[in-house]
Amino acid sequence: MNTNQLIALSLGGVIGTGIFMSPGYFIKNAGAIGTVIAYLIGAVLVCLVMQCLSELSVHQPTTGAFHDYANQYINPGVGFVVAWLYWLTWTIALGSNLLTMGVLMQRWFPQEPTWLWCLFFGLIMFILNIGNLSWFSKSESITSWVKTFALLFFIVIVFLMVTIFKLPLTLAN
């Protein structure tokens, strides 16, 4: 994998598919300010965790994952649980991503059931993962850049709506 693909993977990993659907739910329930505060708190927590992991990896580089640090510095049982919880998190995230893609496709193809789109995209992911690494890295890089540019496009549109067109940021009832 080249540097461009690794950058795209990191950006695409941060920008999940749920970012295109979840903020509406959060704004509806917590309001605009509450949503911004929640995202800021989450961002601070992620930065703190990443700072801790970077210090641990500089102090003791390892070929394993971060659960190795929990295994060594806390307890082998904690390392075991951390590894399995990490796997479970990505398993749930995969299901959430497939469901999000199915719901979004439902808007364009309302006659097709959501589960069919979930199965379709799941098969595409499976085929890309069992195939050559170059297929996987190229497809992940392309989809990550699409998500990144879509998010930037939406940010620019909202900025233009607020500054140039003077539209208020309110929710319609």
Side-chain angles (χ1 to χ4, degrees):
M1 295 181 75
N2 61 32
T3 305
N4 184 30
Q5 291 170 335
L6 289 174
I7 291 171
L9 281 173
S10 63
L11 284 173
V14 171
I15 304 170
T17 55
I19 200 164
F20 299 107
M21 293 186 66
S22 299
Y25 173 79
F26 294 141
I27 291 170
K28 179 182 174 189
N29 290 316
I33 299 299
T35 301
V36 170
I37 290 171
Y39 276 113
L40 287 174
I41 290 170
V44 167
L45 289 174
V46 167
C47 287
L48 290 173
V49 168
M50 294 311 295
Q51 178 68 32
C52 292
L53 284 174
S54 65
E55 288 182 13
L56 279 169
S57 64
V58 168
H59 173 69
Q60 182 180 357
T62 180
T63 57
F66 58 87
H67 64 86
D68 289 341
Y69 298 123
N71 188 27
Q72 182 178 357
Y73 291 112
I74 301 174
N75 187 313
V78 173
F80 177 80
V81 169
V82 166
W84 276 101
L85 286 176
Y86 186 67
W87 176 85
L88 183 64
T89 299
W90 280 109
T91 303
I92 292 171
L94 175 64
S96 174
N97 288 339
L98 291 174
L99 186 60
T100 300
M101 289 185 283
V103 168
L104 290 175
M105 292 302 290
Q106 189 82 34
R107 294 179 187 202
W108 291 298
F109 303 100
Q111 69 278 8
E112 302 299 328
T114 305
W115 69 266
L116 191 62
W117 290 112
C118 293
L119 180 66
F120 173 73
F121 287 117
L123 285 173
I124 289 174
M125 286 182 183
F126 179 73
I127 290 168
L128 289 172
N129 277 294
I130 64 168
N132 192 352
L133 179 63
S134 65
W135 296 352
F136 173 75
S137 60
K138 287 177 186 173
S139 66
E140 282 289 320
S141 178
I142 290 169
T143 55
S144 295
W145 284 118
V146 167
K147 287 193 294 187
T148 303
F149 288 128
L151 185 61
L152 289 174
F153 176 74
F154 291 143
I155 290 171
V156 168
I157 293 297
V158 168
F159 179 77
L160 291 175
M161 287 172 60
V162 171
T163 59
I164 294 176
F165 302 114
K166 307 289 189 218
L167 295 175
L169 287 176
T170 59
L171 292 176
N173 289 334

